[in-house]
């Protein structure tokens, strides 16, 4: 019972963190290239996005890191 509650609390903490991060990025204007808000549900398009977080802009296809900054080609 205690393990179940602990797992539930941990999962909810991850969801709250992700929602706050998304809201923070959208408050700054969303995508730094075209100002499109980041989507509510993240669909990783690369291993880096799946492992470290981040988005691909639906409008301009810019790759954003988990802080909402554009990923340069050198960082890939």
């Amino acid at each position: 019972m205690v393990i179940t509650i602990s797992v539930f609390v941990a999962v909810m903490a991850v969801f709250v963190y992700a929602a706050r991060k998304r809201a923070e990025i959208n408050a700054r204007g969303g995508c730094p290239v075209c100002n499109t808000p980041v989507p509510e549900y993240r669909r990783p398009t690369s291993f880096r996005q799946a492992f470290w977080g981040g988005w691909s802009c639906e409008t301009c296809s810019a790759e954003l890191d988990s802080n909402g900054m554009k990923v340069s080609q050198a960082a890939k």
Side-chain angles (χ1 to χ4, degrees):
M1 179 73 169
V2 173
I3 293 175
T4 305
I5 293 172
S6 299
V7 169
F8 176 75
V9 168
V11 168
M12 292 308 296
V14 169
F15 282 120
V16 168
Y17 174 78
R20 283 187 177 176
K21 187 66 110 169
R22 185 183 72 251
E24 175 186 317
I25 293 168
N26 283 335
R28 286 185 295 180
C31 175
V33 177
C34 66
N35 295 327
T36 302
V38 294
E40 184 173 349
Y41 298 106
R42 187 174 67 87
R43 283 174 282 160
T45 57
S46 66
F47 177 76
R48 190 200 60 76
Q49 285 182 6
F51 193 70
W52 293 107
W55 294 268
S56 289
C57 180
E58 296 172 346
T59 305
C60 68
S61 300
E63 189 172 356
L64 311 176
D65 65 7
S66 61
N67 293 319
M69 300 300 184
K70 187 174 181 204
V71 176
S72 67
Q73 291 292 348
K76 292 181 184 178

